[in-house]
Amino acid sequence: MAEDDAKEEAPVKAGAGKKMILIIIAGVLLLGGGGGAAWYFMGGTEEKPAEHDEHAKAETGHEEPGPVMELDPFLLNLADREELRFLKVSIKLELDRAEEKTDYQNKIPAIRDALLVLLSSKESQLLRTVNGKRRVREEIMTRVNGVMSKGKVANVYFTDFIIQ
């Protein structure tokens, strides 16, 4: 009987060993396949860095600046309550594409109106600080982009900024 027990245990151990080998082989294949896929998708060829550089340029800004359009200067009253204050500002808008591919020319009256309302609602204390000017620049971009249906404004430039 002892011999029968020994014979029964031997096939069980051999079957368990085969299962273990299959599990190890499957794990190695899975890891190898995952590593190969990661290498392929993460840029395993020499041509990928050039594409990455172009993608990085697209994320950081334009390769070439778009056309810069100048608006007529604004001369307006500010919203100060203590004293009467005036603002004279000249603004240039950089478009994201050629002017012909936008509706900029048709929207100039609406753009000027939106900016006139925006700027006349500001107080001189806000406009005197650098952060205030940055905030107004962002608001101008948002307002103009809201008016335009074809094309967008990429940057806003102040060329004159006088508070009196």
Side-chain angles (χ1 to χ4, degrees):
M1 285 224 199
E3 291 176 11
D4 290 336
D5 289 339
K7 289 181 183 178
E8 287 178 15
E9 288 180 13
V12 172
K13 289 183 180 178
K18 288 181 183 179
K19 284 183 182 179
M20 185 60 95
I21 291 174
L22 287 175
I23 290 173
I24 291 172
I25 290 174
V28 169
L29 288 175
L30 184 64
L31 289 175
W39 176 79
Y40 177 76
F41 287 114
M42 298 295 279
T45 63
E46 293 297 320
E47 296 177 23
K48 292 287 184 185
E51 290 178 15
H52 178 70
D53 291 342
E54 290 174 11
H55 184 64
K57 286 180 187 176
E59 285 181 354
T60 57
H62 302 292
E63 291 178 14
E64 291 184 23
V68 178
M69 310 306 293
E70 184 171 5
L71 293 170
D72 291 335
F74 291 87
L75 180 59
L76 51 95
N77 296 328
L78 292 173
D80 288 358
R81 295 180 187 191
E82 312 85 45
E83 292 184 57
L84 188 58
R85 299 275 183 186
F86 300 98
L87 172 67
K88 180 182 181 199
V89 62
S90 296
I91 299 172
K92 293 187 178 186
L93 304 173
E94 180 184 341
L95 303 177
D96 67 343
R97 59 185 79 163
E99 182 184 358
E100 301 82 37
K101 296 180 181 180
T102 67
D103 57 350
Y104 173 79
Q105 286 299 328
N106 298 333
K107 300 290 184 168
I108 289 177
I111 291 170
R112 286 191 57 82
D113 177 64
L115 296 185
L116 194 68
V117 170
L118 172 70
L119 294 171
S120 64
S121 71
K122 302 298 178 189
E123 294 184 1
S124 62
Q125 294 291 29
L126 172 76
L127 296 175
R128 288 183 182 175
T129 66
V130 174
N131 287 334
K133 287 180 178 92
R134 285 184 186 145
R135 190 174 330 146
V136 169
R137 181 179 286 135
E138 290 170 5
E139 289 178 20
I140 289 171
M141 190 179 306
T142 302
R143 293 266 177 115
V144 174
N145 286 338
V147 170
M148 294 178 63
S149 55
K150 289 192 280 184
K152 297 292 178 199
V153 172
N155 282 313
V156 175
Y157 303 107
F158 296 128
T159 54
D160 287 321
F161 203 98
I162 302 169
I163 298 173
Q164 186 175 354

